[in-house]
Amino acid sequence: MKPIPQLLSAFTIAALSFAASANSTTYDSSAAFLAQLTPGGYTENFNGLDATPPAAFSNGIYSYTISAPSDIYGSGEFLGTSQIDEALTISFTSGNVRAVGGNFFTTNISDSFQAVSVTLLLSDGTTKTFTPATLSDSYRGFVADTVITSLVISRPGPSLYAGVDNLTVGTVATAVPEPQPASLALAGLAVVGLMAARRRAAGRV
């Protein structure tokens, strides 16, 4: 009898099914997002930074880097790309970040807010596209059931710059994600397959 390969297959299917169920909850309000966080989060407003700001930021257990293909730019009030039509990438380097929120927007060369489409991509595959009407309307927060390692603000287009302000990183109370119906079905199929394999092996003894 050789049940080990079938057993590994069953566990592989089950593991993949639960991994596929990872997702993030999106908040359009800073108050609603911040209410989800446990104490000890880190908020950075990027105030006072000159045109050549540092690339790394940290406070307490949290740290991250911000980068762009050419370079990053500090306006004194927010942080963005130094060149047009480039993505802005935030990479979380410590703190097991499971919650991130902030103002994500686009500006022109005069640092003026532009009401154009913004796309955000999280490392867990969550994608959010929206068109903020005002700077205050540009706030989005995400709470994930897995650790977030990066957030990318997409390229905004010709003559426009990606920007971020009031960035908050933190975590939420640990909760076991509720199994999704699809995950339960796949796990069930794996168990049935394992039982059938054992019956066939027993018949050959």
Side-chain angles (χ1 to χ4, degrees):
M1 185 171 89
K2 299 180 180 179
I4 293 178
Q6 290 87 352
L7 183 62
L8 289 175
S9 298
F11 280 121
T12 299
I13 293 171
L16 288 174
S17 68
F18 284 109
S21 70
N23 57 54
S24 300
T25 302
T26 305
Y27 296 86
D28 297 343
S29 151
S30 60
F33 166 72
L34 295 172
Q36 308 303 313
L37 274 61
T38 56
Y42 165 35
T43 299
E44 177 62 61
N45 59 25
F46 307 110
N47 288 350
L49 298 179
D50 61 21
T52 55
F57 298 85
S58 64
N59 185 285
I61 64 171
Y62 298 104
S63 62
Y64 55 85
T65 60
I66 301 183
S67 62
S70 296
D71 208 345
I72 55 175
Y73 160 80
S75 73
E77 297 181 352
F78 68 89
L79 192 144
T81 60
S82 65
Q83 298 297 320
I84 60 171
D85 199 20
E86 291 190 346
L88 191 64
T89 300
I90 305 167
S91 301
F92 305 106
T93 52
S94 71
N96 291 326
V97 174
R98 289 182 57 217
V100 56
N103 293 97
F104 306 100
F105 52 90
T106 295
T107 63
N108 61 15
I109 195 169
S110 300
D111 294 342
S112 298
F113 169 84
Q114 304 294 294
V116 299
S117 177
V118 176
T119 297
L120 306 176
L121 173 64
L122 273 65
S123 57
D124 70 351
T126 298
T127 301
K128 180 70 174 178
T129 299
F130 62 102
T131 303
T134 63
L135 184 59
S136 60
D137 185 41
S138 70
Y139 197 96
R140 293 296 183 275
F142 302 91
V143 172
D145 56 17
T146 58
V147 173
I148 303 170
T149 57
S150 67
L151 183 154
V152 178
I153 308 168
S154 68
R155 297 167 50 184
S159 303
L160 297 174
Y161 304 81
V164 59
D165 199 8
N166 304 311
L167 185 68
T168 296
V169 294
T171 191
V172 293
T174 302
V176 177
E178 196 171 311
Q180 301 299 313
S183 300
L184 293 173
L186 285 173
L189 285 173
V191 171
V192 169
L194 178 59
M195 292 174 63
R198 283 181 172 173
R199 282 198 295 270
R200 286 195 297 269
R204 291 195 299 268
V205 175

